[in-house]
Amino acid sequence: MIRCACYMAPDGKLLDQLNIDQVRDCLATGEGLLWLDMEDLTNEDAELLSNVFCFHPLAVADCTSKNIHPPKIDDFEQYVFIIVHGINYHIESEVVETTELALFLGKNYVVTSHDIPMRSVSSVLDRVRKDGRPMRRGADFLAHDLIDALVDNIMPTINGIDEENDRLEAEALHEPKRETLTSIMQVKRSVLALTRVTLPQREIMNGLSRGDYPFISERAQIYYRNIYDHLVRIEMLTLGLRDMAESVLSTYLSSVSNRMNEVMKVLTLIATIFIPLTFIVGIYGMNFANMPELQWTYGYFVILIVMAVIGISLAVYFKRRRWF
Amino acid sequence: MIRCACYMAPDGKLLDQLNIDQVRDCLATGEGLLWLDMEDLTNEDAELLSNVFCFHPLAVADCTSKNIHPPKIDDFEQYVFIIVHGINYHIESEVVETTELALFLGKNYVVTSHDIPMRSVSSVLDRVRKDGRPMRRGADFLAHDLIDALVDNIMPTINGIDEENDRLEAEALHEPKRETLTSIMQVKRSVLALTRVTLPQREIMNGLSRGDYPFISERAQIYYRNIYDHLVRIEMLTLGLRDMAESVLSTYLSSVSNRMNEVMKVLTLIATIFIPLTFIVGIYGMNFANMPELQWTYGYFVILIVMAVIGISLAVYFKRRRWF
Amino acid sequence: MIRCACYMAPDGKLLDQLNIDQVRDCLATGEGLLWLDMEDLTNEDAELLSNVFCFHPLAVADCTSKNIHPPKIDDFEQYVFIIVHGINYHIESEVVETTELALFLGKNYVVTSHDIPMRSVSSVLDRVRKDGRPMRRGADFLAHDLIDALVDNIMPTINGIDEENDRLEAEALHEPKRETLTSIMQVKRSVLALTRVTLPQREIMNGLSRGDYPFISERAQIYYRNIYDHLVRIEMLTLGLRDMAESVLSTYLSSVSNRMNEVMKVLTLIATIFIPLTFIVGIYGMNFANMPELQWTYGYFVILIVMAVIGISLAVYFKRRRWF
Amino acid sequence: MIRCACYMAPDGKLLDQLNIDQVRDCLATGEGLLWLDMEDLTNEDAELLSNVFCFHPLAVADCTSKNIHPPKIDDFEQYVFIIVHGINYHIESEVVETTELALFLGKNYVVTSHDIPMRSVSSVLDRVRKDGRPMRRGADFLAHDLIDALVDNIMPTINGIDEENDRLEAEALHEPKRETLTSIMQVKRSVLALTRVTLPQREIMNGLSRGDYPFISERAQIYYRNIYDHLVRIEMLTLGLRDMAESVLSTYLSSVSNRMNEVMKVLTLIATIFIPLTFIVGIYGMNFANMPELQWTYGYFVILIVMAVIGISLAVYFKRRRWF
Amino acid sequence: MIRCACYMAPDGKLLDQLNIDQVRDCLATGEGLLWLDMEDLTNEDAELLSNVFCFHPLAVADCTSKNIHPPKIDDFEQYVFIIVHGINYHIESEVVETTELALFLGKNYVVTSHDIPMRSVSSVLDRVRKDGRPMRRGADFLAHDLIDALVDNIMPTINGIDEENDRLEAEALHEPKRETLTSIMQVKRSVLALTRVTLPQREIMNGLSRGDYPFISERAQIYYRNIYDHLVRIEMLTLGLRDMAESVLSTYLSSVSNRMNEVMKVLTLIATIFIPLTFIVGIYGMNFANMPELQWTYGYFVILIVMAVIGISLAVYFKRRRWF
């Protein structure tokens, strides 16, 4: 499905909603800048890419397939094919998942393809329709704006995980539940998923900012460098998140074990104090014919006092050894 | 055992079931494309490889030996010798094992050798017999199709492990058994076995797609690049599986420990409430001659009430401290 | 906010508190040395950087944004833009955090920018105002002095963490509390935060000392090499801190578990000695009509002695098997 | 001690047991192939190496010293000095240890030195004495045969460890003993020792097969490449062994902990059922003057039934909650 | 403090205890070989280094500062400045610490500086005074002898740690105490400290043996290579020590937990056997008016036999299930 087909003529005039013939013309002239955004590719769309743009069948297949593709960049001389990842806001899941944007960058066109609506693409499209700005400086800058918007979307997710970490730490300390562990595990998995796409993406941006590709003008390279720096920052922050999650896990495990220890200590306190006392009362419950103490007038009271002394002594002894 | 010997003449005619003299002719002309597939090599087959194809004795030895060989590529100028790994569907085992395909790629021939029947080779053979397609574009494309089919076979296994992980996570949470641990360990080992063959394989495909070998035409390189991308994806997925398995293991251990804690808490509850009460009834079971309480008319009922109050107080106290 | 604007003329005269026109003149002549220090950049300040110094908008944006930027160096031909990190003394936190200094180094000027007051910048400024020394040897040496002061500030923090580690080890051994664990976790996180900024910073200093940048004279390179050596030392020390923190954590966990074991052993001692004895006294508390022992004259005393023998034997047995 | 001194003349005649003057002659002519095998070097032997062969004193010192030397290769222009490791069958130990073979490879001679008898050297020597084969193709092939025999000896050890792993896994599951842990630890240490020598050895073989050394003819390089492949296989297998050992360790720890849990559960079952019942019988053992139940005709039987109901209810409750 | 100032004239005559003017002369002639060894540098000594030898102030500062400096090598054209580490025998500590030797190597002089007396320097000095040997072959060989003696000193320490590991393993198995853990932790820290200085030192020796520095003659390079080999060996041994320490730690933890389990099993045995029996005796201690068994002539004996049967059955049952 073609979601947008914009063309900015060399004189700065913006044409929206081109038909296929107009697209063909734009490509033929090699002037101005064309942006085609496609969502949830049909076979017909795929044919458009193959026939009109003459993209390599393997690159087109990567766009149509619903599989996950790791970030990569392929150089096909006439154009480069880039896959970058952002955060998927549309799949409701406890674990953060990434979504991919496929991007063809040619001399005077940019073609983007994605399976589900993407907030970052929409925001660039809105700005294009408002005043044409993102398309004024050429294909390399338009691609930059799209990738930049995608990468910027990662920051709120990191902040969200950060807050979740703080919440989990408090919960682990004060009220560890079984769900706490599940949540910690989900945070760890989210962070790992994030780490896994950030690293290759960083390398791709490094390549784009180093002048390895002729489609990126020298003026644009410094902007790609800036995305690279953002990804380095994201990497540093996710490393911090991972350490934090590890620490929360340790806190949780230690907290659970501490509670267990407290419970066991109470058992021990009660048992060690009352077991000997119960033994003593058992002695005087025996039915021997000849047990002199039983006949003493104050025997009962003496034994009550003796037991009180024993119980208190034990309690004091335990207290002193800091067991309770 | 020779399982197939096909020859596609330069005019596109397909000859099936060649005899050795015909094979010799094909090699002599240097035209058309010959594919020889061998299974469970006998010494006679090995001699055929050595004498007719003049393959290096070490490469032939790798084919005949039943040992495991890690993925590798050797360049013998006249041909390259490649070992790649797929999934072994024929050995019934809890742990996923890989099976290897040895492949000689020459100017106008491809020789494949494997110890047991391979689904991927059969599927390519079927397509060759149907319309000759995989052999129409030369030796490099035939080799590509064979390797591609092999690598594609890994995906279902990954999906299977993924489902097993989900099942194990649920089992670990709700009904942890000793067998659960064994299964988790097997999943971890499967994933590690997979990781171990994917990485070197990826590097081999990287080499093939970079033009390091003259037998791979430029047009074919991009297709080898595609296999490389598949392997990168498989690597990313297996990393995810490994994290998942680690997480399931943590869940299992924590779940087992939680159940133990629950059991211990019940012991503590019962013991800490009844031990003091048992002590009290013991007191009034003593046989002292002079125990005034025993003679009171309502002594028995008073003591029952006292004990009820103590028991309930302890229970409330424990409840409040969130021990139960 | 401009905190300082100093200019040292080629004849060594120092001008303090320049206005913007004077700054413009200094840049125009290309002689002498100008130092501009800015804190908590306003938009107006940012414009000054863009218009007067003609710094790249992305570099200026890095200065104005309040986000964390990892250490980096960008070469803009006319100047280099460096971000380095020191220790933040102004944020009161249990976990050590780093603060960043942005630094533009040009032919005859240095511009520094930071969000909060920095002790290292102040100390260099004081020395400049005292006798102008840090500005006498050119822009590269002034930048060196600023970075050196920043890096030197890390050492007291490392010593502080070292002492905290020692304190925590003693506490973990003799009086493990729940707070001990929290503190250990904070130390680990501080050390990781430190490690994370030291490594890239080290690489930047390596580049500056290798002559990759024309603004660093050969005479100054050896001084940058010295900062590099400091960072290597800091790295070695932080690695030691990390090992120490790991060891303290192990000690804590083992100490907690040892205490639990001691408590459990006492329970076992008391229970295993008194449970059999309580059973014996229970026997003689039974009300059978025919229990010969009960009628013996010394039955009671015999049974007391028997129980004492059993109790002592058990205690001796446990002692011998080194359980207590 | 010189264990063998063989010389194969250029005409293929084999001379066994040369004296030192003959050795000198062989070296002087520079033709044919000389193999000197030394065991447990005396100072006299060392002098022979220094004076007759003019080997560098440091290399000779490595041969005489009884210390362990990691695998390495040194190029002394006139010859290369190689240290490779195999498995030591002569030291009886639970932990697998490696033994080293020092090898000087010159234009027309190979000198081997080892501290204890080596099975691999003996087997090559036997084949030389039988038909002279290993010495027919030059010094590089003789060295190859020696190293190949050494590396081949590692496989049986790996198989042995593999079987030990299987035995330990079964033992850990069904009858975990303290010795099981010790054995697991020994297996882990054996595997680590193996890993540590395999990796540098692999790199040495890589160098020898790449043509870095002029003494290795192009024809021989492919054979050294084959040893390299063997070492890659050994590495893959030892990695598998390590994973397996880790898994056995987890199984052992979990198995021990499961047994403990079972024991604790029985304690809890018995205690939680009988503690409340004991309390009830204690109540009716009290000696209050006024306890109406005691006078009821069927009071005793009623209370027996009540207790049976309570006990069975508790048992059923526990069963339902899957605690037992 | 100058500890030694030796000069060997080109004719081989050795001058001991030179004064500063003589030192100046030696440097001026550029012939012979001068060795100056300094301990615990005063400011006066530092000035000597700056003025007479013209060493760079940063290198001199490294000598005077009491901080720890990681191993490094700096090339100052006229001389190289090397920091290497050995074992510190003078600080009494449970944890092995390293001590550093700073070394200036010039055309015809070697200057060494250290904070505390060093056994390795003294031993070289003794050999110089005996027959001048270490100074006969030039500055590069003298520096080699000093570094070699320093590295050789590490071996006894490794052996010591090895023995400590063996002792700790036995202690952990047979008599685990809290001090055992502390010792294990100290061994681990010692090994890590050792690892940390060995690695950079190895790289420095690699550089010196590769001919990167003009002061090292080709003849001497092979000797530096030998130190490199020693360091590789030390690295391999310390890796072994680390594995061993890990294994001892596991043994300790498992041993402690096994003892706890044994104790708990005894508790369970006693409790599970006596709790039901105590319940039975409680039953016959009840005071119901109508309890037929109590009136039976042999009721008491019957119940004793019943309880013996129950107790023995339980014990046999537990034994059969291998709990004890």
Side-chain angles (χ1 to χ4, degrees), chain D residues 88-97 116 119:
Chain D
N88 191 347
Y89 287 104
H90 291 268
I91 296 182
E92 278 298 319
S93 157
E94 298 290 319
V95 180
V96 168
E97 280 175 31
I116 49 171
R119 198 182 285 189

Side-chain angles (χ1 to χ4, degrees), chain D residues 64-75:
Chain D
T64 47
S65 106
K66 303 289 181 227
N67 284 330
I68 298 164
H69 304 86
K72 68 165 180 177
I73 184 160
D74 281 339
D75 193 351

Side-chain angles (χ1 to χ4, degrees), chain C residues 249-269:
Chain C
L249 183 58
S250 292
T251 305
Y252 170 80
L253 291 175
S254 152
S255 188
V256 164
S257 142
N258 272 335
R259 289 187 163 240
M260 190 63 203
N261 282 7
E262 263 181 57
V263 168
M264 291 303 293
K265 275 177 179 169
V266 169
L267 171 61
T268 308
L269 179 72

Side-chain angles (χ1 to χ4, degrees), chain A residues 56-58 62 65 67-77 85 174-175 178 181-182 185 189 192-193 196-197 249 252-253 256 259-260 262-264 266-267 270-271 274-275 277-278 280-282 284-287 293-301 303-304 307, chain B residues 155 169 173-174 218-219 222-226 229-230 232-233 236-237 239-240 243-244 246-248 250-251 254-255 257-262 264-265 267-268 271-273 275-276 278-279 281-293 314 318 321-324:
Chain A
H56 195 280
L58 287 173
D62 278 348
S65 105
N67 284 331
I68 299 165
H69 304 86
K72 67 165 181 178
I73 184 160
D74 282 340
D75 193 350
F76 292 89
E77 280 179 52
H85 280 236
H174 304 303
E175 212 174 337
R178 202 183 284 196
L181 184 76
T182 318
M185 288 298 162
R189 248 139 76 188
L192 282 167
R196 224 142 35 215
V197 296
L249 183 58
Y252 170 80
L253 292 175
V256 164
R259 290 189 161 237
M260 191 62 202
E262 263 181 58
V263 168
M264 292 303 292
V266 169
L267 171 61
I270 300 282
F274 281 101
I275 284 176
L277 298 183
T278 302
I280 292 172
V281 303
Y284 294 102
M286 293 194 296
N287 296 318
E293 299 98 312
L294 295 183
Q295 307 311 321
W296 298 348
T297 316
Y298 299 108
Y300 173 54
F301 305 103
I303 213 69
L304 283 187
M307 290 193 299
Chain B
M155 281 308 293
E169 187 167 48
L173 259 179
H174 304 302
E218 224 170 291
R219 212 161 43 100
I222 191 92
Y223 286 88
Y224 282 96
R225 181 82 194 164
N226 198 38
D229 287 342
H230 278 167
V232 170
R233 188 161 78 224
M236 203 175 82
L237 291 171
L239 281 176
D243 298 338
M244 181 80 184
E246 288 294 339
S247 159
V248 170
S250 293
T251 305
S254 153
S255 189
S257 143
N258 271 335
R259 288 186 164 242
M260 189 63 202
N261 281 7
E262 263 182 58
M264 292 302 293
K265 275 179 179 169
L267 171 61
T268 308
T272 47
I273 288 176
I275 283 175
T278 302
F279 168 67
V281 302
I283 288 177
Y284 295 102
M286 294 194 295
N287 296 319
F288 283 98
N290 177 20
M291 290 177 68
E293 299 97 315
L314 282 170
F318 293 153
R321 298 198 59 169
R322 298 199 181 226
W323 286 346
F324 304 103

